[in-house]
Amino acid sequence: MLEKFKKHVDLNLPLLKGKRLLVACSGGVDSVVLAHLCRKLGLDMALVHCNFGLRGAESDGDEDFVSQLAEQLGVEVLVKRFDTEAYAEKNRGSIQMAARDLRYQWFQEVLGKEGFDFLVTAHHADDNLETFLINLSRGTGIEGLLGIPEVNGKTVRPLLVFSQEEVMAYAQSEHIQWREDSSNASNKYLRNRIRHELVPKLKELHPTFLQNFIRTQSHLLQTHTLVDNHIQSIKAKLFVENGGSITIDIGELEHLQPTATYVYELFKAYGFTEWDDVQHLLTAMSGKEVVSKTHRLVKDRQHLILSELEGEPKRPYLIFENEEQPNLPLKLNLENVKSIEKSGQDTIFIDKEKLNFPLVLRNWEKGDYFYPFGMQGKKKLSKFFKDEKMDVISKEKQWLLCSDNDIVWVVGRRADERFKVGDSTRHIIKITQLT
């Protein structure tokens, strides 16, 4: 197994060479074998162990064992104890999920603070099969059928090409000692039931069942790569960047068949889960939206507008005369000038005596109106936005510069006629939106 492991690292995981590796070690046979293999290859490594305090003296025994293993291998060891039950209760989750969250949160913290390059874990082919079956039982797409990725960011799993049988045979042949986790024998958890009851029966169906499964996953990965490449090419044509958001033509999207599958593949990366609601946006009224934890998708006439969720609600900002304004959401420069120069969308000239400081910078609200520069009479901003062909997101992001309750400037678009410089103007102020 050592030679096969070395060859696998050389051919498929050369990224591990010359890097500082954090090897996750529970004390079980899989992680102990991984530690021995990495050490024999001369990789720069340290062990990392979590004591979840769930099995009393047995958990403490695992911690002592891993510390002794590190000493035996001549490597550093990092250990942390957790109050897993308290964390699970606080976050209203299962003990298994609590342990997983605590483990990986701490691993990522160690990677960042201690200067390690990769976390290496001991997941093997049987673990991958179990994950495949769990996902299959719950219902999944092709991603779920791919199982555990060999490389996922800074996490690497070099034993995925090896079976549990190979790992155990190597441990016995090398007289490697390990710890048995008593909870692994219990069928309380779904993974354990699959491991003890279902997988043995599947292996009885064919003597090379696990090897066939590994080949099948390789084929699935290749198919997934083809699908992903196709989706990325479609996205490059269909997703149009537009001032911090993305515009998608609904007509072009509906031409893609099967539309529901394309909708899922195109938008899954943005955290959406209510796929019926996303699909219904295609025929919904303008203004309807679907929100994920990170993004929102809004119907705007014949388009969908995709944007990141804003943080805190936008608030009005006060602009005082002759004071620096470092905390404004956009950069405005106010300057007293003696004459009018060339104006534009980013620059306006105002009769200063018509302004009442402090000015207010705020977002638009329904019912807002102004007197567009160069025109007679007032106009509702909603009608102005429509004439400007602004989408829903652009409207929400539009800033207004106001004096008391009167709009002075639809920033970057149009000034207000009431504040223009005239023959009787004595003091002129130039306002510029800086990039």
Side-chain angles (χ1 to χ4, degrees):
M1 182 180 179
L2 175 60
E3 188 58 34
K4 182 178 176 182
F5 181 77
K6 181 179 184 304
K7 184 176 180 181
H8 179 59
V9 171
D10 288 342
L11 292 178
N12 303 306
L13 298 172
L15 76 168
L16 296 179
K17 295 181 178 180
K19 303 296 183 180
R20 293 194 70 204
L21 308 180
L22 198 61
V23 179
C25 187
S26 66
V29 61
D30 307 328
S31 59
V32 172
V33 164
L34 176 63
H36 278 272
L37 290 171
C38 289
R39 190 61 178 145
K40 287 192 175 182
L41 259 60
L43 299 176
D44 185 2
M45 58 178 279
L47 301 186
V48 61
H49 176 79
C50 299
N51 185 339
F52 295 110
L54 297 173
R55 293 174 288 114
E58 188 177 338
S59 294
D60 294 338
D62 292 344
E63 178 183 327
D64 292 339
F65 174 83
V66 173
S67 296
Q68 293 170 15
L69 174 64
E71 184 176 350
Q72 174 190 341
L73 296 177
V75 298
E76 180 186 3
V77 61
L78 295 87
V79 176
K80 186 167 183 176
R81 296 188 172 208
F82 298 96
D83 189 343
T84 312
E85 292 180 341
Y87 181 90
E89 183 177 353
K90 179 181 178 181
N91 292 275
R92 299 180 180 179
S94 67
I95 292 293
Q96 276 190 316
M97 289 305 299
R100 185 184 186 283
D101 289 347
L102 289 169
R103 176 168 63 246
Y104 281 102
Q105 286 172 14
W106 182 51
F107 288 166
Q108 293 305 314
E109 181 183 328
V110 173
L111 281 172
K113 290 184 177 180
E114 303 295 333
F116 288 93
D117 298 295
F118 294 103
L119 170 70
V120 183
T121 70
H123 295 91
H124 48 65
D126 288 75
D127 293 321
N128 214 0
L129 175 58
E130 292 162 13
T131 299
F132 173 92
L133 293 170
I134 289 171
N135 292 342
L136 182 65
S137 70
R138 293 171 175 168
T140 186
I142 191 170
E143 293 91 348
L145 299 180
L146 294 176
I148 307 170
E150 186 169 50
V151 179
N152 184 16
K154 290 191 174 185
T155 301
V156 184
R157 303 174 176 95
L159 294 186
L160 281 180
V161 296
F162 297 93
S163 67
Q164 171 73 72
E165 185 179 356
E166 288 178 286
V167 172
M168 185 66 71
Y170 181 79
Q172 293 172 343
S173 68
E174 297 295 315
H175 306 290
I176 293 173
Q177 294 183 325
W178 68 88
R179 297 271 296 180
E180 290 289 353
D181 184 339
S182 60
S183 66
N184 287 337
S186 169
N187 280 349
K188 175 181 177 181
Y189 303 113
L190 175 60
R191 182 175 290 274
N192 285 0
R193 293 200 298 275
I194 289 175
R195 179 179 301 163
H196 298 312
E197 299 174 5
L198 182 56
V199 170
K201 287 183 171 58
L202 291 174
K203 289 182 177 180
E204 288 175 5
L205 295 175
H206 199 284
T208 58
F209 180 88
L210 188 60
Q211 290 73 24
N212 295 341
F213 163 73
I214 293 173
R215 282 196 296 272
T216 298
Q217 279 213 315
S218 176
H219 299 327
L220 283 172
L221 180 59
Q222 294 172 38
T223 301
H224 178 262
T225 301
L226 286 174
V227 171
D228 190 58
N229 289 341
H230 174 64
I231 291 298
Q232 293 307 316
S233 68
I234 293 293
K235 186 178 287 189
K237 298 175 183 177
L238 202 59
F239 282 40
V240 179
E241 293 282 348
N242 183 17
S245 60
I246 296 172
T247 302
I248 302 103
D249 187 289
I250 292 176
E252 292 186 24
L253 181 57
E254 289 179 322
H255 283 145
L256 300 172
Q257 297 295 327
T259 303
T261 302
Y262 274 100
V263 166
Y264 171 77
E265 292 292 340
L266 288 167
F267 294 104
K268 67 183 181 183
Y270 304 100
F272 297 104
T273 57
E274 302 299 326
W275 293 109
D276 287 343
D277 292 344
V278 174
Q279 181 76 16
H280 289 158
L281 280 183
L282 303 184
T283 55
M285 295 177 60
S286 286
K288 294 291 184 181
E289 65 178 57
V290 178
V291 178
S292 73
K293 290 183 178 180
T294 58
H295 288 76
R296 62 189 297 218
L297 191 62
V298 182
K299 171 72 175 290
D300 184 63
R301 296 186 286 275
Q302 298 305 312
H303 295 86
L304 297 178
I305 311 295
L306 176 69
S307 63
E308 291 187 25
L309 288 180
E310 300 286 346
E312 297 180 0
K314 294 178 180 177
R315 58 181 177 83
Y317 295 84
L318 298 181
I319 301 177
F320 294 90
E321 187 176 6
N322 301 322
E323 286 189 16
E324 293 290 333
Q325 311 293 333
N327 297 319
L328 294 181
L330 48 83
K331 294 181 179 180
L332 294 179
N333 183 62
L334 281 66
E335 179 184 0
N336 293 308
V337 296
K338 294 183 178 180
S339 62
I340 297 177
E341 304 166 8
K342 184 178 180 181
S343 61
Q345 286 190 327
D346 295 333
T347 302
I348 63 172
F349 293 86
I350 298 296
D351 186 331
K352 185 176 180 181
E353 292 179 351
K354 295 178 181 179
L355 299 177
N356 291 321
F357 283 90
L359 303 180
V360 177
L361 186 68
R362 64 171 176 85
N363 290 114
W364 85 286
E365 300 171 356
K366 288 185 178 180
D368 278 337
Y369 65 88
F370 77 128
Y371 291 74
F373 184 82
M375 295 178 58
Q376 292 185 350
K378 67 181 180 180
K379 189 172 191 176
K380 282 191 174 182
L381 273 182
S382 57
K383 180 66 166 63
F384 174 75
F385 291 158
K386 184 176 181 180
D387 293 344
E388 292 282 300
K389 295 182 170 55
M390 292 173 62
D391 61 56
V392 175
I393 305 299
S394 297
K395 294 175 189 176
E396 293 178 357
K397 292 181 177 180
Q398 179 63 56
W399 290 99
L400 308 177
L401 184 64
C402 302
S403 174
D404 293 331
N405 294 320
D406 295 326
I407 296 173
V408 176
W409 188 21
V410 181
V411 179
R413 294 185 181 273
R414 194 76 165 265
D416 190 290
E417 177 77 11
R418 292 169 293 178
F419 297 89
K420 72 177 182 180
V421 174
D423 293 338
S424 62
T425 299
R426 296 183 300 169
H427 302 286
I428 302 173
I429 186 168
K430 175 184 177 183
I431 306 177
T432 305
Q433 180 184 5
L434 304 175
T435 57

